[in-house]
Amino acid sequence: MNKKQLFSGPFLAFILCGTLVPLGVIAFYGLTDRSGAFTVDNILSIATPEHAEALLLSLGLALISTVICLLLAFPLGLILKDSKLGQKGFMVFIFILPMWMNFLLRTMAWQVLLEKNGVINNVLGAIGLPALEIINTPAAVVLGMVYDYLPFMILPIYNALIKIDKNVIEAAYDLGANYRQVLSKVIIPLSLPGIVSGVTMVFVPSLTTFAVSNILGGGKVNLIGNIIEQEFTTSFNWNLGAGLSLVMMIFIIISMALIEKFDRNGEGNLI
Amino acid sequence: MGKYPAEFLKIKMPLIELIDISKSYDGETVLDEFNLKIKENEFITLLGPSGCGKTTTLRILGGFVTPDTGKVIYQGKDITNLAPNKRPLNTVFQKYALFPNMNIAENIAFGLKISGKSKEYIDDKIKYALKLVNLNGYEKRSVDSLSGGQQQRIAIARAIVNEPKVLLLDEPLGALDLKLRQEMQYELIRLKKELGITFLYVTHDQEEALTMSDKVVVMNQGYIQQMGTPEQIYNEPENAFVADFIGDSNIIDGVMMEDRVVKICNHIFPCIDEGFGRNKPVDVVIRPEDIIIGKPGEGTIDGVVTSNVFIGVHYEMCIQAGGFEWLAQNTTSYPVGTHVSMRVVPDNIQIMNKPQSEDEEAMALDE
Ligand SMILES: Nc1ncnc2c1ncn2[C@@H]1O[C@H](COP(=O)(O)OP(=O)(O)O)[C@@H](O)[C@H]1O
Ligand SMILES: [Mg+2]
């Protein structure tokens, strides 16, 4: 065994214990029933109305959150990139600062803010505006997702944007392109790897989350993540939970493959 | 005005005019009341050391930098505040700046697609441009797969397919090795002739400037030092900076004794300059290749060879004489320690006024 192989040992061990073994265990549970006999019922149960509805809602909300994050992060990235502030790095730091705060804490803060008699409604009431009634609705869950995951969109997009050679952008103007054309023909294509990373890093956790929907959905917004969680923690039907998890994995892989297709340069390397 | 036919006015009018352009960054003046006229079909080169404001001048023309004061006039119209994409100029950037997300054909087609040309027209132009820069068949190649020289040629192709009135080139050959650079110099001159467009070229390489240009503008610290044909710049530098910057030269303190007589290192040299007055301190410029070396006592001044290097074709020697170390070039080698004499044909001695110090200038004004 040479030195290189020796060094790769710990990583191989990690891949084995941290990825392959758990995956195998989930696959085993997902493809068996309580008695341990092989079955595909757990997988097929995604087609039951309750599960299918949850899955569709999850896909829908994850998609909406991802699009909102993208629509917020990309212009912000452009502004930060072009800003003449000497403190560019600091500005980015401010925007990604929430990332370092506890995730549950951040989400619970929104609960307090959005509650029927919460901070926002008190303020609205004080200035005579109608109360906001979005707590325990999908809108609140989307808001929570956007707030929680936005930094994961900003960072890769900003990094991709600042790497674009200024001369290349000037060359596009020089050849007669207006701002919109420069954006669509040069800046967006060149920042695509960053966009793909950002979309992945927002879409996947949004699709599988149960914490955000628990806290801001108040049990009324049932995402697929909530159903899987309940199978494990409430119903103690590990086989069904594992089966649904496998289905989710397949959905994520399909989504990533679709996203990848947009990335002509194929620099994302996500799968 | 009405008296002159339109044609006449057109010939008189420069294509581009920079009028009193000043630009400073953070209080640091980069260009100071810069004036330049560019005639149609001219190959004009801005030459100067790094940081003298060449790129800034080009960027002001391209529309990427707004001057603090002054105007950019194009065909009689003020375009100082016109956006870059509206200007009838195209730039070849110093670092090529090809679009890495597009192949070579897409790069070349960029400007044509923007201006809404038909597919057939664009395809024809791509073929034509690739042929012009000797890269036939490179349409489908990626930018990464090209060498520096090839990328540079694509950058040129990408600019010229738009048939700009003026091509701005910012040290386009700066990153290439010597041989490729010389090849590209000839290619550019050929292109210029074939296309018949105006070239504004920027370089810090004096040889390049002298080889390629119709007109050279020597710049230093945001000021124009001298403007003229390559021959004028080389043979008749107007001041010590130009003499020093253009080629190797001996710049020696001298005294103009009377018309056509200059004293250098206490020796009298005949020259052809007149009108400096009597006993006037001047700078004397003598090119190393103009020094004629002979046996001691045969020339105007005697000296000793202190160094001798073969630099291809000829030898470059330092000769200590009259308290000055003269740089001389000759096809004959004179070993170190040889006693020699030197003389210079009067035609080859260039006399310049000493640059006046600010104090002197102030005094002159007081009088
Ligand atoms: N955007 C800028 N901000 C601050 N200083 C600049 C900027 N652009 C150029 N300069 C300064 O202006 C001077 C001239 O620059 P430049 O025109 O690029 O010179 P050249 O092309 O002749 O080497 C340099 O001292 C450079 O540092
Ligand atoms: Mg420059």
Side-chain angles (χ1 to χ4, degrees), chain A residues 170 173-175 177-178 185 189, chain B residues 59 85 90-91 101 114 162:
Chain A
E170 285 190 354
Y173 281 115
D174 188 77
L175 292 164
N178 58 31
K185 287 173 192 275
Chain B
R59 288 171 61 78
N85 53 336
N90 283 122
T91 309
N101 53 317
I114 297 278
N162 303 294

Side-chain angles (χ1 to χ4, degrees), chain B residues 128-365:
Chain B
Y128 162 78
L130 283 176
K131 192 158 167 245
L132 212 56
V133 297
N134 281 331
L135 288 173
N136 287 320
Y138 275 64
E139 282 91 343
K140 292 282 174 294
R141 294 278 291 268
S142 73
V143 171
D144 289 344
S145 71
L146 265 56
S147 71
Q150 291 171 330
Q151 289 193 27
Q152 186 57 72
R153 281 185 272 171
I154 296 301
I156 293 166
R158 182 179 67 176
I160 58 176
V161 289
N162 303 294
E163 300 176 359
K165 280 292 217 174
V166 184
L167 197 59
L168 309 175
L169 302 106
D170 192 355
E171 312 218 12
L173 311 182
L176 309 183
D177 60 52
L178 183 66
K179 192 163 172 301
L180 196 55
R181 199 157 68 223
Q182 284 170 344
E183 268 174 40
M184 286 296 295
Q185 286 174 7
Y186 290 113
E187 297 250 321
L188 281 174
I189 296 171
R190 177 178 64 83
L191 270 178
K192 162 87 180 55
K193 288 208 181 102
E194 260 172 62
L195 297 166
I197 52 180
T198 310
F199 272 38
L200 179 57
Y201 195 92
V202 160
T203 182
H204 66 264
D205 180 339
Q206 43 105 3
E207 209 177 303
E208 196 166 289
L210 297 180
T211 315
M212 301 174 76
S213 327
D214 300 326
K215 186 161 146 195
V216 178
V217 179
V218 184
M219 290 175 66
N220 189 32
Q221 298 185 339
Y223 291 98
I224 293 178
Q225 300 291 326
Q226 188 175 352
M227 214 181 308
T229 64
E231 290 84 359
Q232 284 169 338
I233 299 283
Y234 190 84
N235 293 329
E236 299 150 36
E238 273 172 17
N239 58 41
F241 174 82
V242 178
D244 193 32
F245 193 73
I246 307 290
D248 294 320
S249 54
N250 298 286
I251 304 175
I252 319 164
D253 287 334
V255 177
M256 205 64 188
M257 307 303 290
E258 56 188 87
D259 280 354
R260 292 186 296 273
V261 178
V262 62
K263 188 163 85 176
I264 312 166
C265 300
N266 280 319
H267 289 72
I268 299 295
F269 284 75
C271 64
I272 57 165
D273 295 75
E274 300 178 352
F276 282 84
R278 285 174 165 272
N279 297 319
K280 176 85 198 295
V282 289
D283 278 332
V284 182
V285 177
I286 299 172
R287 298 282 178 196
E289 67 269 24
D290 292 336
I291 293 178
I292 300 161
I293 303 176
K295 292 207 178 80
E298 281 183 354
T300 317
I301 183 169
D302 288 349
V304 182
V305 178
T306 55
S307 79
N308 181 334
V309 184
F310 181 62
I311 56 168
V313 185
H314 45 230
Y315 297 84
E316 191 163 274
M317 287 161 280
C318 289
I319 296 167
Q320 187 70 40
F324 184 80
E325 189 148 82
W326 302 64
L327 189 68
Q329 289 175 354
N330 208 301
T331 45
T332 314
S333 174
Y334 295 85
V336 173
T338 315
H339 287 261
V340 295
S341 71
M342 294 183 288
R343 68 189 172 85
V344 184
V345 177
D347 231 13
N348 290 333
I349 294 178
Q350 174 76 18
I351 309 290
M352 300 176 308
N353 278 313
K354 281 193 167 299
Q356 290 185 327
S357 71
E358 273 164 19
D359 288 342
E360 277 175 309
E361 255 175 38
M363 266 158 48
L365 283 175

Side-chain angles (χ1 to χ4, degrees), chain A residues 76 80 85 87-101 106 147 150-151 154-155 158:
Chain A
L76 180 73
L80 287 177
L85 292 168
Q87 308 283 343
K88 256 188 232 182
F90 181 72
M91 294 288 289
V92 177
F93 172 74
I94 294 283
F95 276 101
I96 63 170
L97 193 62
M99 220 160 77
W100 299 334
M101 256 183 280
R106 272 182 285 159
Y147 184 77
L150 184 60
I154 292 176
L155 209 54
Y158 173 76

Side-chain angles (χ1 to χ4, degrees), chain A residues 248-262:
Chain A
M248 286 313 293
M249 267 173 52
I250 291 164
F251 264 90
I252 289 168
I253 289 170
I254 292 173
S255 318
M256 289 306 96
L258 284 179
I259 294 169
E260 197 90 337
K261 263 190 87 158
F262 287 107

Side-chain angles (χ1 to χ4, degrees), chain A residues 165-179 181-182 185-186 189-190 264-265, chain B residues 59 64 84-85 89-91 93 95 97-102 106 110-111 113-114 158-159 162:
Chain A
D165 182 359
K166 243 179 52 195
N167 285 313
V168 168
I169 295 173
E170 285 190 354
Y173 281 115
D174 188 77
L175 292 164
N178 58 31
Y179 184 69
Q181 290 164 324
V182 172
K185 287 173 192 275
V186 178
L190 286 178
R264 267 212 302 167
N265 305 330
Chain B
R59 288 171 61 78
F64 299 108
N85 53 336
L89 325 154
N90 283 122
T91 309
F93 291 82
K95 287 179 199 118
L98 297 178
F99 306 117
N101 53 317
M102 302 176 197
E106 289 167 332
F110 189 90
K113 276 188 193 150
I114 297 278
R158 182 179 67 176
N162 303 294

Side-chain angles (χ1 to χ4, degrees), chain A residues 20-253:
Chain A
L20 294 179
V21 171
L23 213 59
V25 172
I26 290 180
F28 173 76
Y29 273 99
L31 294 169
T32 55
D33 61 20
R34 279 178 200 247
S35 62
F38 175 80
T39 174
V40 290
D41 286 352
N42 298 323
I43 306 280
L44 294 180
S45 82
I46 191 70
T48 63
E50 185 201 2
H51 292 168
E53 198 183 314
L55 178 65
L56 278 180
L57 186 62
S58 296
L59 283 170
L61 296 192
L63 203 64
I64 293 170
S65 309
T66 308
V67 169
I68 294 175
C69 281
L70 186 58
L71 291 180
L72 290 175
F74 197 81
L76 180 73
L78 285 179
I79 292 167
L80 287 177
K81 170 181 121 69
D82 291 335
S83 74
K84 298 226 159 55
L85 292 168
Q87 308 283 343
K88 256 188 232 182
F90 181 72
M91 294 288 289
V92 177
F93 172 74
I94 294 283
F95 276 101
I96 63 170
L97 193 62
M99 220 160 77
W100 299 334
M101 256 183 280
N102 184 285
F103 166 81
L104 287 176
L105 206 67
R106 272 182 285 159
T107 315
M108 267 151 34
W110 272 110
Q111 190 186 27
V112 175
L113 287 173
L114 292 173
E115 260 170 357
K116 244 196 172 78
N117 298 313
V119 179
I120 290 179
N121 280 342
N122 281 339
V123 172
L124 287 178
I127 56 174
L129 288 172
L132 204 61
E133 290 179 3
I134 66 164
I135 189 74
N136 302 341
T137 66
V141 176
V142 167
L143 188 118
M145 287 175 177
V146 169
Y147 184 77
D148 282 334
Y149 303 131
L150 184 60
F152 296 100
M153 186 71 91
I154 292 176
L155 209 54
I157 287 182
Y158 173 76
N159 280 335
L161 284 174
I162 54 167
K163 271 197 216 119
I164 298 176
D165 182 359
K166 243 179 52 195
N167 285 313
V168 168
I169 295 173
E170 285 190 354
Y173 281 115
D174 188 77
L175 292 164
N178 58 31
Y179 184 69
R180 255 192 46 220
Q181 290 164 324
V182 172
L183 207 58
S184 66
K185 287 173 192 275
V186 178
I187 296 179
I188 292 178
L190 286 178
S191 58
L192 219 48
I195 294 176
V196 169
S197 312
V199 165
T200 313
M201 281 158 75
V202 172
F203 185 75
V204 173
S206 299
L207 188 61
T208 53
T209 186
F210 55 86
V212 177
S213 45
N214 266 349
I215 298 170
L216 296 174
K220 296 203 179 73
V221 182
N222 246 341
L223 300 184
I224 192 74
N226 299 93
I227 290 181
I228 295 172
E229 186 217 1
Q230 284 152 21
E231 294 304 335
F232 279 99
T233 59
T234 319
S235 324
F236 292 104
N237 189 347
W238 285 26
N239 304 87
L240 185 54
L244 292 176
S245 296
L246 284 177
V247 176
M248 286 313 293
M249 267 173 52
I250 291 164
F251 264 90
I252 289 168
I253 289 170

